[in-house]
Amino acid sequence: MELLKGKSIAIVTAQWNKTVTHKLLSEAIKECNKFGFTKVHTYTVPGSYELILSCKWLVECKRFDAIIALGCVIKGETDHDLYINQAITENLASVQIQSNIPIALGVLTVNNAKQAMERAGGIKGNKGKECVQAVAKMLLLKSEIENF
């Protein structure tokens, strides 16, 4: 993956549900190394909702080729998770389209902690790792299109 070596990646991780998000981040960093990304910068935010503004700031600084947003929203007694998840999804999609910078959405939206752990390195894989694979593929595709 020689084409990815000079690319700069930002990974923003929510601290809420830290047991889960730390596993996502850890695997994402390992996967960045496998893909040959040499410039990986990590940032933390209080919760998944704060991923929106932080990704916008990262785009605005014009230093990153791709961004990965990692978080975990677990269903509670109310419908707050629906509103949070919708806001994150819609706004990160908007930031991505407006900036033309790939933003991988690695926010787990689960019903309970067991489901979260299954998606943070358990039987369902690791979403952090998958996000690195997604941005790598997008950056390679962009390069292919630009050099057509």
Side-chain angles (χ1 to χ4, degrees), residues 81-128:
D81 62 308
L82 300 175
Y83 304 111
I84 297 293
N85 294 335
Q86 183 175 0
I88 294 166
T89 304
E90 289 176 0
N91 284 292
L92 287 184
S94 178
V95 171
Q96 176 177 237
I97 295 301
Q98 290 173 9
S99 68
N100 204 31
I101 294 175
I103 300 175
L105 179 59
V107 178
L108 302 179
T109 57
V110 294
N111 293 319
N112 53 55
K114 180 179 181 277
Q115 288 178 346
M117 294 307 283
E118 288 172 349
R119 288 157 179 78
I123 61 173
K124 302 281 185 176
N126 184 290
K127 192 65 174 174

Side-chain angles (χ1 to χ4, degrees), residues 8-13 37 48-62 64-71 87-107 127-128 130-139 142:
S8 186
I9 304 297
I11 304 174
V12 187
T13 307
F37 288 115
S48 292
Y49 188 76
E50 288 77 24
L51 291 167
I52 302 165
L53 186 56
S54 61
C55 286
K56 183 177 182 296
W57 289 339
L58 289 167
V59 162
E60 289 173 349
C61 80
K62 299 182 190 240
F64 300 102
D65 298 293
I67 300 168
I68 297 170
L70 301 175
I88 294 166
T89 304
E90 289 176 0
N91 284 292
L92 287 184
S94 178
V95 171
Q96 176 177 237
I97 295 301
Q98 290 173 9
S99 68
N100 204 31
I101 294 175
I103 300 175
L105 179 59
V107 178
K127 192 65 174 174
E130 292 169 15
C131 285
V132 174
Q133 295 166 358
V135 297
K137 289 176 184 177
M138 291 300 290
L139 291 171
K142 183 178 181 184

Side-chain angles (χ1 to χ4, degrees), residues 2-61:
E2 194 66 31
L3 289 172
L4 300 175
K5 279 199 175 166
K7 301 296 183 186
S8 186
I9 304 297
I11 304 174
V12 187
T13 307
Q15 289 189 338
W16 194 259
N17 293 314
K18 190 172 166 178
T19 303
V20 175
T21 62
H22 179 72
K23 288 177 179 274
L24 298 174
L25 175 61
S26 176
E27 285 302 311
I29 292 170
K30 287 179 191 174
E31 196 69 5
C32 282
N33 292 333
K34 287 181 187 175
F35 271 90
F37 288 115
T38 53
K39 301 174 185 173
V40 180
H41 305 269
T42 60
Y43 303 91
T44 57
V45 293
S48 292
Y49 188 76
E50 288 77 24
L51 291 167
I52 302 165
L53 186 56
S54 61
C55 286
K56 183 177 182 296
W57 289 339
L58 289 167
V59 162
E60 289 173 349
C61 80

